[in-house]
Amino acid sequence: MERKTKVAAGEGEQDILISREFDLPLELLFKAYVEPRIVEQWMGTKVLKLENKKHGSWQFETSDAKGNVVFQANGVIHEFSPNRKITRTFEMENSPFPVQLEFLEFEALSANTSKLSMHIIYRSAAYRDQMLKLPFAQGLNMAHNRLQETLSKLTLS
Amino acid sequence: MELRRDVFQAIADPTRRAIITLLALQAMTPKAIAENFDSSRQTISKHIQILKACDLLEQEQNGREIYYQLNPQKIKEIADFIEPFREMWDERFNKLESIMKNYQSDNPS
């Protein structure tokens, strides 16, 4: 199976490259990053602010089912070039992680396909590795819960 | 009975999974780890010993303090730790793609 989303993280480096080819025209891909209501849908977060312009800023917030805020992030936009490029910072609030710098480049591959390349730069290689490990640590919990479910079913039968 | 010490035993306990999660963020002293739990320091110390026996932790002496951190080699044994990060983005982008495909058919140009 071909992997649509690619992540390149060189050992000891402080940056990563994420790339993805979409079955979408370039304008639609870019729109998904610009329209707050669309960003909310695919990011699974609430968009409090999204100023798509140079020196603009953005703010996201996610709450759980009980209404407790579980995730807050914000940043500023340094460069905004429609259908081409967004340069912005990303900061996770209430976390030990320093702000990171993100270069998002959008390009058309054909009339109906497009590509996004994200280049993320972290303060240090160590911080980058910690960030990469976050979904791993969360997944560990979920994977174990699934394992436990399977085991408890086996015990019952 | 001799207990087998492997990574799966290490993650079989919620407290140990919580310790792994903490150490995924930064190296910590045993005292700092214990402060995150209601259990006694002795209980947490036992969990740390089990994680050590499974080779999941590396320790580093810094003056009088011992710092624990995850052993990346062993972590790779459980899974390639970048893969969940890639999957997270892949799922997000799949969602983006399907939302925009619907958007396209609802708003034909």
Side-chain angles (χ1 to χ4, degrees):
Chain A
M1 191 192 80
E2 205 212 332
R3 295 187 153 169
K4 290 181 106 181
T5 303
K6 292 178 184 138
V7 174
E11 199 157 342
E13 305 286 333
Q14 65 190 85
D15 62 344
I16 56 169
L17 280 165
I18 303 171
S19 62
R20 159 85 179 213
E21 292 181 9
F22 291 88
D23 207 6
L24 295 170
L26 171 65
E27 291 71 23
L28 274 182
L29 170 61
F30 194 77
K31 202 179 195 65
Y33 270 85
V34 173
E35 292 280 328
R37 271 185 308 158
I38 299 174
V39 173
E40 284 185 337
Q41 287 178 55
W42 68 268
M43 283 284 294
T45 189
K46 202 169 152 189
V47 175
L48 301 182
K49 188 159 120 184
L50 182 57
E51 298 169 332
N52 298 307
K53 58 178 187 192
K54 190 176 171 72
H55 302 158
S57 65
W58 63 269
Q59 215 178 344
F60 296 167
E61 187 179 279
T62 312
S63 306
D64 64 13
K66 289 175 189 160
N68 303 312
V69 174
V70 292
F71 173 82
Q72 280 172 300
N74 73 81
V76 294
I77 292 160
H78 284 248
E79 192 179 351
F80 185 84
S81 171
N83 299 322
R84 217 175 61 81
K85 197 173 180 187
I86 298 173
T87 304
R88 67 185 185 193
T89 59
F90 174 100
E91 181 182 24
M92 219 194 298
E93 291 167 37
N94 306 309
S95 86
F97 294 102
V99 62
Q100 65 197 46
L101 180 58
E102 303 184 340
F103 296 91
L104 282 67
E105 285 174 291
F106 304 79
E107 59 181 304
L109 296 176
S110 70
N112 291 307
T113 56
S114 52
K115 185 180 174 183
L116 166 68
S117 307
M118 277 178 89
H119 184 196
I120 308 179
I121 297 159
Y122 300 86
R123 185 168 181 183
S124 69
Y127 277 121
R128 183 206 69 173
D129 285 352
Q130 285 171 18
M131 204 63 161
L132 283 173
K133 283 176 197 159
L134 274 186
F136 168 75
Q138 288 155 358
L140 205 60
N141 270 310
M142 289 193 293
H144 181 74
N145 292 342
R146 278 200 296 273
L147 184 70
Q148 223 161 24
E149 238 172 67
T150 315
L151 286 177
S152 62
K153 275 179 203 153
L154 285 175
T155 328
L156 287 173
S157 55
Chain B
M1 189 185 82
E2 193 180 310
L3 285 172
R4 232 180 107 232
R5 300 287 194 209
D6 63 17
V7 288
F8 298 100
Q9 189 192 350
I11 62 166
D13 177 88
T15 306
R16 289 201 287 277
R17 290 201 303 280
I19 294 172
I20 291 172
T21 309
L22 282 172
L23 293 176
L25 297 173
Q26 58 190 332
M28 292 171 91
T29 63
K31 185 169 174 276
I33 295 170
E35 280 165 1
N36 287 278
F37 299 92
D38 291 330
S39 329
S40 69
R41 262 193 84 172
Q42 284 88 337
T43 307
I44 297 304
S45 168
K46 257 186 221 164
H47 285 303
I48 292 174
Q49 294 313 313
I50 291 170
L51 290 171
K52 262 175 73 181
C54 301
D55 284 334
L56 268 167
L57 302 190
E58 288 175 342
Q59 73 181 63
E60 204 178 301
Q61 192 85 30
N62 190 343
R64 285 170 63 190
E65 299 277 16
I66 290 172
Y67 280 83
Y68 288 108
Q69 58 187 26
L70 295 184
N71 172 0
Q73 280 308 109
K74 206 67 186 176
I75 290 292
K76 272 189 182 161
E77 256 180 49
I78 309 177
D80 179 354
F81 77 83
I82 290 180
E83 182 54 18
F85 181 86
R86 194 197 66 80
E87 280 170 16
M88 176 189 80
W89 279 100
D90 200 44
E91 277 169 34
R92 244 178 224 174
F93 289 146
N94 287 343
K95 219 169 169 182
L96 184 161
E97 199 170 57
S98 75
I99 287 168
M100 294 319 282
K101 275 184 179 167
N102 288 336
Y103 182 92
Q104 192 174 24
S105 44
D106 292 345
N107 302 274
S109 49

